[in-house]
Amino acid sequence: MEKAMLGRFGICCTLLVVALQVCLASVMVKVTPEVEVIKGETAKLPCSYTTSAPASAVVQWLIEVAGARKQIAFKSPQGFGVDPGTTMTDRLTMEDDLSLTISKVMVEDERIYICQVSAGTVGFSEDKTQVKVFFAPEKPTITGNNQAITVSSETDTSSEVGKCISRNAYPQPRIIWFKDATPLPEVKDQKEKTYMIPSVVKEASGLYTMTSTLFMQPVKADAKSVFHCTVEYSMPNNQIKQESSDKFNLSLLYSTETVFFKLKNQGPVKEGDDVLMECETDGNPQPEFEFYKEDTRLEGLKGTLKVKRVTRKDAGIYKCDALDFDAEDGVELMKTLSLNVHYLDPVSVTPEGPLLAAKGDTVELQCKTKSSDEYTLQWKKDSKELSQTGVLTLQSVTLADAGVYLCVGAVPSVPGLRKQANVTLTVTGAPEIAAPLNGFVDKEGGMVTLNCSALGHPAPQFTWKPSGKESVTVVGDKVISTVTLEASAAVLKDGVICEAYNKHGIDSKNFKVSIKSDESSAAISPVFSVENDPDKSSNPNAANRAEKQQGGSSAVVIAVVVCVLLLLLLVALLFFLSKKGKLSCGKKDKKDMASGEVKGGIVVEMKSSEKGNEEAGLLNKPHAEQ
């Protein structure tokens, strides 16, 4: 009896242990809850599991179709594979690590995927992965915005402003309208003045085409506004991105409220300028315009009136009449403009030229003009200002005062408005020869060229003593006589005389001629003849001679320096030989020194010679004793 009881108890314990093992057995499956992928790319869905006890398992990937689950891939101890008969079959791969790979992801692949693991007696478990598909839309386009819209206070209905289309997006995007970079509130109530009508189409590809039509009751100020739309869409990792359309303006039609008539020229207008006047309104489109000066009709072109090369007669009141028949009553459609044309009369000079005055006379010149504004008058000669009053008085004129005098009139307040007149003054008198430019030759008998420059009226005649080959040139008011002759002994001694004469008198100057080796001419004459003579350009030979003389002086200086250096070297050699004892400083018959003193290592010897009182001292440093 006891044995039977013990047998039953053992069986119960065994069953209890088995039941406990079954109850405690479990399978844990782990997946990625959400996988995001862009359409056309590859998605990988990981799956892994753990069991409380060793056991062989079967792994299945499932999807839900029409409320029922359908296996699409599996792995078991006997093998693994992909189930046929689905739109995903050719794009699925069951990996060794139990993950499911979907290539070339399509929009329809967005669903829940179930990874289920069955481990026999150990149990089974599953977990779900949500696949989300994304695709960025094309750049939005605007259509229907090329129609003109009439702006009127009597209109209470909204007009279509434009249609924004965003194609091929997933998930469904959102369209936002902007006016001058400010987003417009998204209003769908068609009773409002501004509202939008959205529509969406799902393409065969599963992508969305979004359309939003904007309606407004525009006002005149909207003509200058800029509109565009932006599509806002989602991308992986919670990104919100935007793509904007091209910007556009509204074509609005509205009547004139104000007319503008203005002068386009910058600054004051003067005689001879081209004048441009422009007439426009704040309406759209611009109406036709008519232009008048007083009661005379003028021809303009599209709101522009051009007057070429204006004169003072063109000054006055101009009118512009805007022919806008849609304008409301009370709108002033005519505007006026006052044109002021500045002028400066030609400058007149008294007395009129050409003028003839004798040397020593007083000459008074006066110029006058008239202008539309304050003006200035200036007398000038050779660009030098002589007077600012319009009156120029020349006291005791000289031959140098002859020439062209210019009177310049100008209006400071009007840039570019200036006139001028000139008068020529001729001063009669005996010739005046400029300071002579001395000549130089290499040796006696050489050829020398001299220039004699003189002022005078009538034009002077020239005589050279002695004479040579002569020529005459005129430079401005100066008459220049050039002579080339032999530098004979008489020429080198007495020089050459240049005489200039006319009916009023005579003037003469002596031109010195020197040989270039002459130190005085080399040191002095070239400097003055080349640098100080105003007519040096007319005698290039003098400049060349001066350069050669300066080159000779430099050679002498170099020779002296070399001689001094040689002398110093000789003195140094004699001192060195004397220090070595190889050179006797006395005569052969000199007497030995009668006495000597040694002091501080220096021997001082005193000697006497046959010449009497001559004394000499020689300091020698003795050699150091061994």
Side-chain angles (χ1 to χ4, degrees), residues 335-403:
K335 286 288 183 178
T336 61
L337 182 151
S338 177
L339 177 64
N340 185 23
V341 179
H342 290 276
Y343 62 88
L344 179 66
D345 286 344
V347 176
S348 62
V349 176
T350 55
E352 296 181 355
L355 303 179
L356 187 67
K359 187 165 62 174
D361 288 351
T362 297
V363 176
E364 182 173 293
L365 302 175
Q366 186 175 9
C367 61
K368 296 180 179 179
T369 187
K370 291 182 179 179
S371 174
S372 58
D373 204 348
E374 293 185 1
Y375 61 89
T376 60
L377 290 171
Q378 293 181 339
W379 279 102
K380 295 183 178 181
K381 181 177 183 289
D382 300 329
S383 301
K384 182 180 180 181
E385 184 179 307
L386 303 176
S387 171
Q388 292 184 340
T389 62
V391 177
L392 176 63
T393 302
L394 303 174
Q395 300 286 351
S396 187
V397 295
T398 65
L399 296 178
D401 291 327

Side-chain angles (χ1 to χ4, degrees), residues 10-38:
I11 293 172
C12 291
C13 289
T14 302
L15 292 175
L16 182 60
V17 170
V18 172
L20 184 61
Q21 289 179 348
V22 172
C23 292
L24 295 177
S26 65
V27 178
M28 296 293 293
V29 178
K30 182 179 181 181
V31 297
T32 302
E34 188 174 276
V35 174
E36 296 179 329
V37 60
I38 295 176

Side-chain angles (χ1 to χ4, degrees), residues 73-132:
F74 67 93
K75 183 177 182 182
S76 67
Q78 288 75 31
F80 64 92
V82 175
D83 291 274
T86 68
T87 58
M88 308 171 63
T89 300
D90 296 335
R91 299 182 289 113
L92 292 178
T93 304
M94 184 73 174
E95 304 291 350
D96 291 337
D97 61 357
L98 308 181
S99 62
L100 181 67
T101 300
I102 310 173
S103 62
K104 297 181 180 179
V105 171
M106 303 172 63
V107 173
E108 62 190 33
D109 295 336
E110 181 175 284
R111 53 163 53 101
I112 294 176
Y113 294 80
I114 304 166
C115 179
Q116 186 181 88
V117 179
S118 299
T121 58
V122 177
F124 78 95
S125 183
E126 64 181 35
D127 204 353
K128 298 179 180 180
T129 295
Q130 173 69 56
V131 172
K132 289 188 175 181

